[in-house]
């Protein structure tokens, strides 16, 4: 099964909407609750990253017999040093975003801890693609 | 302890979610960093925070928390409140500081 969602950069009012829809769908389809929980944490962080850092993005969700794969493609500034970005506590979020309680440098570590496979590819000046895969 | 029992014990304000005050509180989490809560809070906990915007609600809903408790006399922003009403998640308030509030909640739910 394949689903697609659009995400707008800067739109904090709707941040998490896609995560919420995907959660509902996975639950309805009877996916193991602990896998739903992990997937939703990883997806929420990735979704918020598009909102906080990119101009816009698309989220592709593929549900297979024994896995859920989520690919998030954004148009944005990209990440110059992915290893650095993966470090706990590292963030390039704006002061406004930090004031809301985001930008603590925990997003990518959360994604890593809550996915079986996490692939991050980025081109500076173009955008970032994040792939989250969880196996049932 | 249920959310209602906590409300009664501490004299908390109930901004919304009256229909779900019978929910059991399965622990608590105190933090103003959203990703910290996202990564470490668990289902059924009460979340103590000074953040009052709509994203708080998104996280509480995704993590299936039992309630949100706003400290220092904070009130939820309009869109947070609206979302909370839609989702039926209780949003509570106290005039006390985070430290005192967390201590009291801890004592009560671990009795």
């Amino acid at each position: 099964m394949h689903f697609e969602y659009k995400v707008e950069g800067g739109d904090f009012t709707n941040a998490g909407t896609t995560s919420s829809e995907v959660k509902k769908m996975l639950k309805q389809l009877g996916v193991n609750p602990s896998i739903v929980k992990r997937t939703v944490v990883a997806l929420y962080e990735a979704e918020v990253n598009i909102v906080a850092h990119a101009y816009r993005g698309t989220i592709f969700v593929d549900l297979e017999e024994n896995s859920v794969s989520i690919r998030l493609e954004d148009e944005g500034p990209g990440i110059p040093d992915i290893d650095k970005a993966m470090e706990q506590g590292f963030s390039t979020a704006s002061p406004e975003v930090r004031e809301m309680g985001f930008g603590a440098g925990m997003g990518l570590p959360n994604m890593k801890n809550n996915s079986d496979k996490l692939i991050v590819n980025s081109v500076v000046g173009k955008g970032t693609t994040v792939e989250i895969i969880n196996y049932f | 302890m249920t959310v209602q029992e906590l409300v009664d014990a501490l004299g908390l304000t109930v901004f919304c979610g009256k229909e779900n005050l019978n929910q059991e509180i399965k622990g608590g989490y105190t933090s103003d960093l959203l990703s910290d809560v996202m990564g470490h809070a668990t289902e059924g906990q009460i979340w103590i925070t000074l953040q009052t915007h709509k994203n708080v609600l998104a996280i509480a809903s995704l993590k299936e928390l039992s309630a949100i408790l706003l400290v220092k006399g904070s009130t939820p922003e309009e869109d947070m409140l609206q979302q909370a009403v839609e989702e039926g998640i209780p949003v509570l308030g106290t005039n006390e500081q985070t430290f005192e509030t967390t201590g009291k909640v801890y004592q009560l739910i671990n009795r």
Side-chain angles (χ1 to χ4, degrees):
Chain A
M1 264 182 283
H2 179 86
F3 305 87
E4 272 185 47
Y5 306 88
K6 295 280 178 204
V7 179
E8 278 302 309
D11 182 12
F12 276 98
T13 317
N14 291 309
T17 309
T18 300
S19 304
S20 171
E21 282 174 33
V22 171
K23 181 187 170 191
K24 254 177 237 156
M25 174 192 76
L26 294 177
K27 268 185 141 179
Q28 270 166 13
L29 293 169
V31 173
N32 179 311
S34 72
I35 293 166
V36 174
K37 276 181 195 151
R38 295 185 73 219
T39 305
V40 161
V41 172
L43 170 59
Y44 177 79
E45 295 292 359
E47 183 184 354
V48 166
N49 275 353
I50 295 180
V51 176
H53 299 285
Y55 314 129
R56 65 193 66 81
T58 311
I59 301 178
F60 304 92
V61 180
D62 281 288
L63 192 62
E64 312 285 345
E65 204 176 319
N66 48 21
S67 71
V68 55
S69 306
I70 302 174
R71 200 170 77 252
L72 302 98
E73 294 181 2
D74 75 44
E75 293 168 45
I79 306 169
D81 185 344
I82 293 173
D83 289 338
K84 187 92 194 152
M86 294 299 295
E87 282 176 18
Q88 180 91 29
F90 179 81
S91 176
T92 58
S94 68
E96 293 77 24
V97 170
R98 285 172 202 255
E99 212 164 274
M100 293 173 82
F102 292 113
M106 295 174 176
L108 278 159
N110 271 355
M111 280 185 233
K112 205 172 166 60
N113 291 338
N114 288 282
S115 53
D116 293 331
K117 217 180 210 175
L118 175 69
I119 306 159
V120 183
N121 283 300
S122 193
V123 180
V124 172
K126 269 193 94 175
T128 300
T129 301
V130 172
E131 204 166 353
I132 295 159
I133 304 169
N134 277 338
Y135 299 100
F136 304 155
Chain B
M1 165 169 255
T2 65
V3 179
Q4 180 69 60
E5 285 165 345
L6 186 75
V7 167
D8 295 340
L10 297 178
L12 304 173
T13 310
V14 179
F15 294 110
C16 67
K18 286 199 171 68
E19 69 280 16
N20 284 320
L21 295 180
N22 55 351
Q23 277 220 58
E24 192 68 23
I25 300 174
K26 297 180 189 149
Y29 203 82
T30 300
S31 181
D32 303 319
L33 295 176
L34 305 196
S35 288
D36 181 26
V37 179
M38 201 61 208
H40 300 105
T42 54
E43 190 181 331
Q45 288 184 331
I46 183 167
W47 177 11
I48 299 168
T49 185
L50 48 71
Q51 296 285 358
T52 56
H53 53 85
K54 195 183 166 190
N55 296 278
V56 170
L57 226 285
I59 288 174
S61 164
L62 288 169
K63 298 293 286 188
E64 298 177 30
L65 303 180
S66 54
I68 299 162
L69 174 50
L70 304 178
V71 293
K72 307 173 85 159
S74 309
T75 54
E77 287 170 21
E78 193 48 46
D79 55 357
M80 171 178 171
L81 191 62
Q82 210 179 317
Q83 187 76 18
V85 169
E86 263 171 50
E87 307 238 4
I89 296 178
V91 178
L92 317 171
T94 174
N95 286 325
E96 293 202 65
Q97 305 282 344
T98 309
F99 181 76
E100 284 76 9
T101 305
T102 302
K104 286 180 185 174
V105 171
Y106 181 87
Q107 289 279 340
L108 283 164
I109 62 180
N110 286 295
R111 238 182 352 200

